[in-house]
Amino acid sequence: MTTNAKILIVDDEEDILTMLRYNLEKAGYEVCTAVDGQQAIAMVYSFRPNLILLDIMMPGMDGIEVCQHIRTIPDFNDILIVFLTARSESYTHITALDSGGDDYINKPIKPNVLNSRIQAILRRANLNAVTSDSKIIFGELSIDVENFVVLVGDRDAGLVKKEFELLMLLASKPGKVFKRPEILLRMWGDDVIVGDRTIDVYIRKLREKVGESYIQTVKGVGYRFDFKSYAK
């Protein structure tokens, strides 16, 4: 198997790095590794990975801080960030996603399961890729589909990739109520288990960045893009 995908693995445990690198290179990925947060950020600039496997619990700069730093750099918004965590608490997963992560994988994980999860994540990213060169304008909200940029007036909303995809999904059919199961399926697929709280995290971040008025909650059902907010 060969693939063009480049993966950066970040973990402070050498045996984990060695095991993950061996299995991912065997699966056909181009792989680089980093042992701490500072080295990881440097590698992002030089290696330009498509996906980062990022351990949360690291001394010094932890994985959450690394993710937050990467998400402040617009050129890296299309990099997929998948957290590796030995902690199963829901708040850890929520914090990981809230920081800009695209997904998380619990340790320990079998190599074949890891490969399947990575394939699914990359596949979803490709399926969700937007290729239209159009711009969509809703009042002060402007969505540049080609460049993955959302402006509110003259201000860049600074959306990360998953936030952009969720906004595009809701805005694709203004007024339509997207039920939670449909959002989960469209955003994460049926091969990844995430809870309703994950949707809430992304909706909250979207509202913080683009404004409260565009996304309406339909209690007990889901969410819709509120076309009345920009209708003239």
Side-chain angles (χ1 to χ4, degrees):
M1 172 184 175
T2 58
T3 175
N4 293 324
K6 300 165 66 176
I7 298 177
L8 172 63
I9 310 169
V10 187
D11 201 299
D12 62 321
E13 297 185 41
E14 291 285 354
D15 56 339
I16 292 178
L17 285 179
T18 300
M19 183 271 290
L20 293 177
R21 180 168 195 159
Y22 171 79
N23 284 284
L24 291 175
E25 286 183 337
K26 186 178 178 181
Y29 298 103
E30 184 178 350
V31 181
C32 275
T33 61
V35 297
D36 58 44
Q38 294 292 345
Q39 186 181 21
I41 291 171
M43 289 299 300
V44 169
Y45 281 94
S46 61
F47 183 55
R48 294 279 178 159
N50 303 107
L51 183 147
I52 302 173
L53 286 176
L54 181 59
D55 185 34
I56 291 182
M57 301 294 291
M58 294 187 295
M61 192 178 195
D62 65 25
I64 299 296
E65 293 173 307
V66 173
C67 181
Q68 290 172 333
H69 180 86
I70 292 172
R71 291 309 189 209
T72 65
I73 306 169
D75 285 350
F76 299 151
N77 276 352
D78 60 343
I79 296 177
L80 298 166
I81 298 179
V82 180
F83 283 101
L84 298 173
T85 176
R87 305 180 65 172
S88 59
E89 302 96 331
S90 61
Y91 68 80
T92 300
H93 298 158
I94 291 168
T95 301
L97 295 172
D98 202 16
S99 69
D102 294 283
D103 210 335
Y104 57 83
I105 296 175
N106 288 325
K107 294 178 179 179
I109 186 168
K110 295 180 179 179
N112 61 325
V113 176
L114 175 66
N115 290 340
S116 296
R117 288 290 300 276
I118 289 177
Q119 288 175 23
I121 292 164
L122 291 171
R123 184 169 61 249
R124 290 200 313 272
N126 288 333
L127 289 174
N128 289 332
V130 182
T131 57
S132 170
D133 59 358
S134 63
K135 289 186 179 180
I136 306 171
I137 299 175
F138 304 105
E140 290 191 343
L141 186 67
S142 173
I143 305 174
D144 186 335
V145 178
E146 183 180 38
N147 296 306
F148 290 84
V149 173
V150 174
L151 298 178
V152 181
D154 295 326
R155 174 180 63 84
D156 188 339
L159 301 189
V160 300
K161 188 173 187 293
K162 212 68 174 177
E163 293 166 353
F164 184 91
E165 291 171 356
L166 178 55
L167 178 62
M168 282 297 299
L169 173 63
L170 298 176
S172 66
K173 295 184 179 179
K176 167 183 165 62
V177 177
F178 285 87
K179 297 180 180 179
R180 285 174 172 271
E182 181 180 1
I183 295 174
L184 287 171
L185 180 63
R186 297 280 292 273
M187 294 292 296
W188 285 275
D190 57 6
D191 48 5
V192 177
I193 300 175
V194 296
D196 284 354
R197 185 70 181 91
T198 302
I199 298 177
D200 296 337
V201 168
Y202 279 99
I203 290 293
R204 177 172 61 80
K205 297 298 288 186
L206 267 181
R207 284 172 169 160
E208 289 175 356
K209 293 181 178 182
V210 305
E212 296 282 340
S213 62
Y214 288 101
I215 301 172
Q216 185 178 50
T217 301
V218 180
K219 290 186 177 180
V221 182
Y223 299 95
R224 68 182 168 197
F225 191 87
D226 184 12
F227 66 93
K228 295 179 182 178
S229 66
Y230 62 86
K232 302 296 184 182

